């Protein structure tokens, strides 16, 4: 896995695409809307950190700490709770295999929480930017891994 500022830049691209898709998701209701909103908030925070690491926004460890905390707050159980079995109502892009491979899905949600916590800790210690970028790369990689496995692009 490539980590560092390069993946930070990639993550920004990735999140940009995801944000574009989110606009097309008007009409979602109930739990599907709730998780889309949570994912959108995650993506806003990822984008904010990505811009700082890319140098298109002022580097601010306090803001990275806040953003990482917001991401971890949406991860783990908070995320898996938003995926009750069979919740596939249109325009959801969730894959039905989530519930066939639930332990794997939970692992991805948990690793997002762990990686976001690690990012938060580094930012809180005002660690060097290279370490922060590496930790951010891990967060972004988790989004991608889970989306590739469990999100169907419609
Ligand atoms: C445990 C798996 C998992 C992880 C981890 C995950 N996502 Fe998602 N994400 C999904 C699934 C599944 C959907 C589709 C949900 C739906 O449409 O019902 C989704 C949808 C989205 C959407 C579209 C929301 C919308 O309005 O349609 C965005 C944006 C998004 N994710 C961003 C992220 C970012 C950024 C990260 C990482 C920081 C991330 N996600 C981590 C599973 C995950």
């Amino acid at each position: 896995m490539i980590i560092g500022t390069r993946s930070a830049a990639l993550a920004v691209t990735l999140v940009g695409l995801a944000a574009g898709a989110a606009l097309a998701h008007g009409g979602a209701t109930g739990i599907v809307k709730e998780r889309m909103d949570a994912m959108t908030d995650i993506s806003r925070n990822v984008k904010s950190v990505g811009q700082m690491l890319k140098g298109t926004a002022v580097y601010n460890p306090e803001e990275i700490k806040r953003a990482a905390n917001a991401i971890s707050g949406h991860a783990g159980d908070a995320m898996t709770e938003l995926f009750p079995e069979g919740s596939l109502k249109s325009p959801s892009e969730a894959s039905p295999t989530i519930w066939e491979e639930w332990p794997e899905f939970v692992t991805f949600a948990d690793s997002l929480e762990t990686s976001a916590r690690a990012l938060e800790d580094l930012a809180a210690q005002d660690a060097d930017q290279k370490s922060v970028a590496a930790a951010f790369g891990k967060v972004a990689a988790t989004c991608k891994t889970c989306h590739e496995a469990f999100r169907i692009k419609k």
Side-chain angles (χ1 to χ4, degrees):
M1 185 175 61
I2 313 160
I3 48 173
T5 40
R6 198 136 138 245
S7 47
L10 277 177
V12 172
T13 315
L14 188 132
V15 168
L17 290 173
L23 292 176
H25 290 163
T29 54
I31 199 86
V32 171
K33 178 169 188 339
E34 262 183 65
R35 72 190 177 217
M36 283 178 171
D37 289 348
M39 291 285 176
T40 303
D41 191 54
I42 291 175
S43 127
R44 234 193 320 265
N45 283 292
V46 166
K47 202 169 171 181
S48 159
V49 179
Q51 284 171 340
M52 284 185 246
L53 291 169
K54 235 174 104 184
T56 53
V58 178
Y59 187 81
N60 178 349
E62 269 304 308
E63 167 59 14
I64 295 178
K65 195 179 124 196
R66 188 210 56 75
N69 182 270
I71 296 166
S72 70
H74 284 301
D77 290 347
M79 182 173 278
T80 55
E81 274 166 12
L82 297 177
F83 288 88
E85 187 157 8
S87 54
L88 291 167
K89 197 162 176 252
S90 172
S92 175
E93 293 179 333
S95 163
T97 58
I98 289 173
W99 299 283
E100 285 158 29
E101 292 158 33
W102 184 251
E104 200 186 352
F105 187 75
V106 171
T107 302
F108 290 153
D110 286 348
S111 78
L112 179 59
E113 186 175 3
T114 312
S115 59
R117 286 247 169 85
L119 176 63
E120 185 183 350
D121 288 347
L122 284 172
Q125 297 155 23
D126 198 8
D128 62 283
Q129 277 198 42
K130 208 173 153 202
S131 318
V132 171
F136 177 68
K138 286 187 187 157
V139 171
T142 312
C143 321
K144 194 164 179 273
T145 312
C146 192
H147 289 169
E148 277 172 4
F150 294 118
R151 183 180 174 200
I152 302 169
K153 281 274 178 189
K154 287 182 186 155

